[in-house]
Amino acid sequence: MSITPQRTPNPNALKFGVGVEVGGPRSYVRANAGDDPLAERLLAIDGVASVFMTADFVTVSKSTEADWSEIAPTVQVALERYYQDS
């Protein structure tokens, strides 16, 4: 499976095309992530502030002090593993 990250107009958000239907729309922050195993996995990544899922993509927002060069590869691997296991 090829996960495709894409920039958004918001420099603190990246859209990851996953190529399969993810349902939604659903939004998560740490306080409500326990209901969704993927959201919980993504929000456990240091620097991830929120997760939005709909259609065939997942948008991840980072905290302002976090760096995409550290977060994006970890998010990409987490998504690939999640959708390979599903």
Side-chain angles (χ1 to χ4, degrees):
M1 163 172 290
S2 175
I3 304 297
T4 310
Q6 301 170 5
R7 294 193 182 274
T8 70
N10 177 351
N12 292 320
L14 279 180
K15 177 181 171 181
F16 291 83
V18 297
V20 296
E21 183 66 34
V22 299
R26 302 183 315 268
S27 270
Y28 297 96
V29 293
R30 281 185 173 79
N32 70 346
D35 294 345
D36 186 292
L38 177 57
E40 190 172 19
R41 184 181 296 193
L42 295 173
L43 287 163
I45 298 169
D46 191 38
V48 172
S50 66
V51 175
F52 174 74
M53 299 181 222
T54 194
D56 64 347
F57 67 89
V58 176
T59 299
V60 174
S61 297
K62 69 174 186 69
S63 57
T64 54
E65 63 278 354
D67 187 344
W68 278 123
S69 67
E70 297 172 11
I71 297 171
T74 306
V75 168
Q76 190 165 351
V77 168
L79 289 167
E80 287 169 353
R81 288 183 179 158
Y82 181 83
Y83 285 106
Q84 285 174 351
D85 295 342
S86 296

